[in-house]
Amino acid sequence: MNGFIYHFVAFLTVAIWGSTFVFTKILLQNGLSPAQIFTLRFIIAYGLMVTGCLLTGKRFKLFSDSWVDEFKMLLLGITGGSVYFLTENASMLYTTATNTSLIVCTCPLFAMMLVAVIYRHTEHISKIQAVGSVIACIGMAVVVLNGHFVLHLSPLGDLLAFGACLCWAFYSLLMKSAHQRYNTLFITRKVFFYGLLTIIPYFIVKPGFPPMEVLLSHNVLWNLLFLSVIASMLCYITWNWVIGKLGAVVATNWVYFNPITTILFAWWLLDEKITIWFLLGSLLIIIGMLLSERKGSDTRTQTSKDIIKRT
């Protein structure tokens, strides 16, 4: 039952993230830049987390237990915050949204390879899990391309998208390590803090924020609050929690569902059509996810064999 809850929370988190393109697009149409949207989202989310901690009377822990762990939190803020959002948003200035989505959503494959290399002695990546992840990745590509198998290559844009992909893969890997010593709320708060801290150099180069009357307008305020409270604060908390429960590989595989939820929201809110390619790709993603879940039984079988050998 607990396993179902973890996967449901992962799916719900990805589904919400898949809807954010609508709300981000509205903010862009109202004159906000991608960096401004990211910064305002994290400021509101971080402020709410700090306020909640103080109001509940919980001990407000400012720093990690060691400078090594604090540096790890800095890396989490960079890979899951400032650099990730900047590279992903900047890539769409030089390449198509399709290319960006296709490259960024391959991050589960890179996360799996990183875990296999760095944790090769403690975490077993089974063959069936690797096959499942590849099938899910193919399904994601089918959904994103939607029958139009033409990619417009743009070295700079594609390189930026690949940078965002690697950022999220490293974020998932670092999160696995951070969960061994710290709770989800502390980690998430540090991600927001260092995400904001490391975005400052960008505003030194390109300063400026929208006037207050724009931020308080109906179209901007409510969309910004959704992105801040739901898509940032709550979703980062749930995602970081899920990684701690399911592990980096299994949790990150849910990223493959992102294009599915994006298209469903586009169908619901923007009257876009559901195609046969969407259905085929979705089926492949589901099959791949089911296969990747075979890791648990494979690992238990391998453990049993090791015990028999030792005895």
Side-chain angles (χ1 to χ4, degrees):
M1 185 61 181
N2 285 342
F4 171 78
I5 293 174
Y6 303 149
H7 285 284
F8 177 74
V9 172
F11 167 76
L12 190 61
T13 303
V14 170
I16 292 173
W17 279 340
S19 73
T20 57
F21 83 101
V22 176
F23 305 98
T24 301
K25 184 176 181 179
I26 293 173
L27 293 178
L28 292 170
Q29 291 172 344
N30 281 271
L32 277 72
S33 71
Q36 291 169 349
I37 295 170
F38 159 76
T39 304
L40 290 169
R41 283 176 61 172
F42 269 41
I43 287 176
I44 295 172
Y46 181 71
L48 288 173
M49 289 199 71
V50 171
T51 302
C53 183
L54 295 175
L55 290 177
T56 55
K58 293 182 178 180
R59 176 174 170 265
F60 188 82
K61 187 175 183 178
L62 192 58
F63 295 108
S64 305
D65 295 335
S66 68
W67 288 111
V68 173
D69 289 347
E70 193 67 21
F71 180 69
K72 189 180 298 181
M73 299 299 170
L74 170 64
L75 292 179
L76 283 169
I78 292 172
T79 57
S82 56
V83 174
Y84 169 75
F85 277 96
L86 284 178
T87 51
E88 183 182 54
N89 291 330
S91 70
M92 288 186 282
L93 297 175
Y94 303 99
T95 188
T96 63
T98 298
N99 280 31
T100 300
S101 179
L102 189 61
I103 294 171
V104 171
C105 286
T106 58
C107 74
L109 278 180
F110 290 96
M112 181 179 65
M113 289 187 287
L114 285 172
V115 169
V117 171
I118 297 175
Y119 292 98
R120 59 185 179 276
H121 298 303
T122 58
E123 183 159 337
H124 174 66
I125 305 297
S126 67
K127 291 181 180 179
I128 194 68
Q129 184 186 25
V131 170
S133 187
V134 171
I135 291 175
C137 187
I138 293 172
M140 178 275 301
V142 172
V143 170
V144 171
L145 293 173
N146 197 28
H148 304 287
F149 299 102
V150 178
L151 293 178
H152 303 279
L153 298 180
S154 172
L156 179 57
D158 294 343
L159 185 62
L160 287 168
F162 183 67
C165 169
L166 287 181
C167 275
W168 198 255
F170 274 106
Y171 176 81
S172 301
L173 189 68
L174 288 166
M175 189 60 63
K176 171 184 171 64
S177 174
H179 265 291
Q180 296 173 359
R181 294 177 59 86
Y182 303 96
N183 64 59
T184 300
L185 292 179
F186 175 77
I187 296 170
T188 305
R189 182 159 50 82
K190 299 297 284 187
V191 169
F192 290 149
F193 173 78
Y194 280 117
L196 290 170
L197 188 66
T198 53
I199 198 67
I200 292 175
Y202 176 88
F203 285 102
I204 294 175
V205 177
K206 292 187 176 182
F209 268 90
M212 190 59 65
E213 55 266 24
V214 172
L215 296 178
L216 295 179
S217 64
H218 180 79
N219 283 341
V220 171
L221 181 60
W222 291 108
N223 288 288
L224 188 59
L225 285 175
F226 174 84
L227 291 174
S228 304
V229 179
I230 306 299
S232 291
M233 185 182 73
L234 292 181
C235 283
Y236 266 78
I237 290 173
T238 56
W239 185 254
N240 295 342
W241 176 74
V242 162
I243 288 180
K245 297 298 183 181
L246 294 178
V249 173
V250 176
T252 309
N253 272 344
W254 280 97
V255 172
Y256 290 134
F257 274 82
N258 206 318
I260 294 179
T261 57
T262 298
I263 291 175
L264 287 175
F265 271 95
W267 166 73
W268 177 34
L269 298 174
L270 303 178
D271 294 324
E272 294 189 6
K273 303 298 182 183
I274 298 294
T275 67
I276 186 65
W277 296 106
F278 169 79
L279 298 175
L280 176 61
S282 300
L283 179 62
L284 288 173
I285 291 174
I286 293 171
I287 292 173
M289 288 292 295
L290 291 174
L291 288 176
S292 69
E293 271 298 285
R294 295 287 300 277
K295 179 195 173 187
S297 59
D298 290 348
T299 303
R300 286 190 295 269
T301 302
Q302 183 65 39
T303 303
S304 299
K305 289 179 179 178
D306 292 341
I307 293 173
I308 292 173
K309 288 179 180 179
R310 288 196 296 269
T311 56

